[in-house]
Amino acid sequence: SILGNELLKKIKDYPLLNEHQFFYGHYLGNHYFVLFFQDIYNYELFETYLPGSFWNPTTNINIGTDFEPFNGRTRYAEQTAGGFYATRMGILEYLNKIKRQGSVLVVRIETPDYWLGLGVFVVRESIRKTLLTEHINFDEKQKAIEFFKKQIFDKFKLDISDAIKGSKLLGTLEQKKIFEF
């Protein structure tokens, strides 16, 4: 968290991304769907635990989410805990590397292939690995969101639409900006 906060100070001064970017990657039963938006820094993580995965011995799909606005969090990310900060670190490293800022929506899907919790290093390395893959660029935000949801559905037959309806990040992206008036 401390290292991330230092990176974030720099990132907030960078220009916005030139386009919306989609990344997908997986590692040790953890799948990452990452969508960067052309907007100021905000970050939201949805962790989805499929039945039979390490953190979900039930037959239901469990989803938790935490959000960080531009001005930062005031409390610990309780629903996604250490995964929130480990994912955030990889994202901040990527933004710092490309010298840009953006809003970032991440859906992590933990599958039954992840049957033994190995610690947040797996999350950190998974997101780093994901952000090294080829990405797809979009000019239009809505097309990027639809593609994002379709990729999750195609890979897992999981409709994430209801879960992200309450997304704080997507809510902030819908707000009119002062320069739009």
Side-chain angles (χ1 to χ4, degrees):
S1 180
I2 292 169
L3 294 173
N5 289 341
E6 288 303 309
L7 277 178
L8 193 50
K9 288 177 188 175
K10 289 194 235 176
I11 289 165
K12 288 179 178 181
D13 288 331
Y14 294 152
L16 301 182
L17 290 164
N18 294 326
E19 65 278 317
H20 310 293
Q21 300 176 348
F22 170 81
F23 290 84
Y24 166 73
H26 58 91
Y27 181 61
L28 297 177
N30 292 273
H31 295 256
Y32 280 84
F33 299 84
V34 183
L35 191 53
F36 287 89
F37 295 98
Q38 294 173 279
D39 207 328
I40 62 170
Y41 175 82
N42 289 286
Y43 159 57
E44 188 166 25
L45 172 65
F46 284 84
E47 286 193 327
T48 308
Y49 307 101
L50 298 182
S53 62
F54 181 76
W55 294 107
N56 184 9
T58 74
T59 57
N60 300 316
I61 295 173
N62 294 333
I63 299 176
T65 185
D66 282 299
F67 173 71
E68 178 175 55
F70 183 83
N71 293 325
R73 292 185 59 85
T74 56
R75 295 178 38 206
Y76 184 74
E78 292 185 16
Q79 288 192 35
T80 59
F84 180 86
Y85 300 99
T87 300
R88 176 181 178 254
M89 189 65 195
I91 286 165
L92 294 174
E93 289 169 343
Y94 172 75
L95 289 170
N96 188 51
K97 178 181 164 188
I98 65 170
K99 305 290 187 243
R100 297 284 178 172
Q101 73 170 298
S103 286
V104 190
L105 178 63
V106 179
V107 172
R108 171 188 176 212
I109 297 179
E110 185 182 290
T111 69
D113 291 339
Y114 190 63
W115 53 271
L116 177 63
L118 299 172
V120 294
F121 94 90
V122 171
V123 174
R124 187 182 61 247
E125 294 309 310
S126 297
I127 194 69
R128 284 176 173 164
K129 184 178 176 191
T130 296
L131 296 176
L132 291 174
T133 65
E134 290 291 321
H135 64 275
I136 299 170
N137 295 329
F138 294 89
D139 292 331
E140 296 178 35
K141 175 178 50 179
Q142 199 53 46
K143 284 186 180 177
I145 294 168
E146 291 307 315
F147 183 84
F148 180 80
K149 292 190 297 188
K150 184 176 180 339
Q151 292 302 302
I152 294 169
F153 185 81
D154 288 351
K155 288 195 179 9
F156 292 99
K157 301 300 180 232
L158 177 63
D159 185 354
I160 200 78
S161 297
D162 284 342
I164 66 173
K165 266 186 197 166
S167 166
K168 291 180 181 176
L169 184 137
L170 292 178
T172 64
L173 293 175
E174 296 303 317
Q175 293 175 348
K176 289 255 188 217
K177 309 296 186 258
I178 192 81
F179 59 83
E180 293 179 286
F181 290 99

